[in-house]
Amino acid sequence: MFGIFKKDPIKKLNKAYEAKLELAMNAQRSGDIKSYAMITAEAEIIREKIVVLESSTAD
C-alpha cells in the first residue's frame, strides 16, 4: 500500500553517477587530470552498484 512512497535507489544512484561524471568532465577541462581520474573512479564504483541493483531487481 505504501510502496508509492518508497524512493527508487537506482534513480538516486543514477543521479549521483551523472553528477560525478559532470564533475570529472569539468576537472578534465580545467586540466586537473589527477582529480579527473579520482572522480571517474568514484563514478565507476557508483555504476557498479547500479548494475548490481538492476540485476537483482530484474530477477
Side-chain angles (χ1 to χ4, degrees), residues 23-40:
L23 282 174
M25 178 187 64
N26 289 334
Q28 185 183 29
R29 285 184 177 175
S30 67
D32 191 0
I33 301 304
K34 187 175 182 179
S35 291
Y36 166 74
M38 290 189 323
I39 296 169
T40 302

Side-chain angles (χ1 to χ4, degrees), residues 24-58:
M25 178 187 64
N26 289 334
Q28 185 183 29
R29 285 184 177 175
S30 67
D32 191 0
I33 301 304
K34 187 175 182 179
S35 291
Y36 166 74
M38 290 189 323
I39 296 169
T40 302
E42 292 171 2
E44 288 304 314
I45 291 169
I46 294 171
R47 183 68 188 149
E48 289 172 5
K49 290 178 184 177
I50 292 169
V51 169
V52 168
L53 282 174
E54 286 177 341
S55 65
S56 68
T57 58

